[in-house]
């Protein structure tokens, strides 16, 4: 087993790119690799980060979305399903566009990100909403139509991913 000093040196050497907080260095160097101390402390640090994120969203994001919804004259439910979904999906869209473009682009990574984000939303988010919001009625024809077109689009995207080429008609 490596000594705490060696673990700290390895952790510091592997820290690329430098981050605001290097959690591995906190664990290996500051807390000397002691899991009994570092896991609770790092869990509390993670909770603090989520609290700060929630406070920032409440102070900055929520008023901006409220003003935008009022300016567009959207009802609260319509604003929730459009503006918040747009805000939630924007990082995925921009990350995929960045991966697809440029001289050092990674098109397979961009398409894989879109496929995995869609699979996550369809499997986990929709399932969690269905469990929390139950019982509710879903019209079978509408549900079947939505599932069919989602699977069709995901299959087409998967074909593009596997073939590693895309044409104008696609």
């Amino acid at each position: 087993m490596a000594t705490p000093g060696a673990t700290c040196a390895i952790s510091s050497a592997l820290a690329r790119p430098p981050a605001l907080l290097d959690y591995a260095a906190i664990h290996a160097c500051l807390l000397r690799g002691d899991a009994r101390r570092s896991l609770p402390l790092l869990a509390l640090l993670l909770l603090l980060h989520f609290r700060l994120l929630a406070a920032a969203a409440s102070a900055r994001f929520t008023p901006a979305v409220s003003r935008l919804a009022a300016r567009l004259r959207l009802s609260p439910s319509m604003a929730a399903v459009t503006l918040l979904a747009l805000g939630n999906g924007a990082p995925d869209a921009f990350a995929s566009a960045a991966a697809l473009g440029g001289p050092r682009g990674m098109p397979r990574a961009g398409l894989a990100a879109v496929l995995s984000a869609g699979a996550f939303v369809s499997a986990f988010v929709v399932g969690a909403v269905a469990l929390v919001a139950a019982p509710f009625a879903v019209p079978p024809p509408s549900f079947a139509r939505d599932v069919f077109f989602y699977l069709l689009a995901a299959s087409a995207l998967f074909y593009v991913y596997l073939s590693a080429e895309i044409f104008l008609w696609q």
Side-chain angles (χ1 to χ4, degrees), residues 33 39 41 51 59 74 80 86 92 98 100 108 114-115 140 151:
L39 289 178
L41 181 71
R51 176 67 182 115
L74 297 173
L86 179 67
D92 293 333
L100 291 173
R108 288 191 153 212
V114 172
L115 283 170
L151 290 175

Side-chain angles (χ1 to χ4, degrees), residues 5-169:
T7 306
C8 178
I10 291 170
S11 174
S12 298
L14 295 177
R16 298 286 183 249
L20 186 60
L21 280 176
D22 186 3
Y23 299 101
I26 291 173
H27 170 71
C29 301
L30 186 64
L31 300 170
R32 305 216 185 273
D34 184 11
R36 290 176 302 198
R37 287 190 303 162
S38 65
L39 289 178
L41 181 71
L42 291 174
L44 285 174
L45 189 60
L46 180 66
L47 290 175
L48 175 68
H49 288 157
F50 277 120
R51 176 67 182 115
L52 291 172
L53 180 64
S58 177
R60 303 282 185 223
F61 184 67
T62 304
V65 170
S66 298
R67 282 193 302 272
L68 186 59
R71 183 167 287 164
L72 295 174
R73 288 182 240 144
L74 297 173
S75 67
S77 60
M78 183 59 70
V81 299
T82 55
L83 298 177
L84 294 179
L86 179 67
N88 183 39
D92 293 333
F94 286 120
S96 296
L100 291 173
R104 294 177 31 198
M106 299 180 345
R108 288 191 153 212
L111 293 174
V114 172
L115 283 170
S116 61
F120 174 77
V121 167
S122 349
F124 294 105
V125 174
V126 172
V129 168
L131 289 175
V132 171
F136 60 91
V138 176
S142 299
F143 181 74
R145 178 202 61 212
D146 292 346
V147 168
F148 172 74
F149 280 108
Y150 175 76
L151 290 175
L152 185 69
S155 299
L157 190 59
F158 192 63
Y159 171 76
V160 169
Y161 174 78
L162 288 177
S163 67
E165 59 186 8
I166 187 165
F167 300 102
L168 184 60
W169 66 268

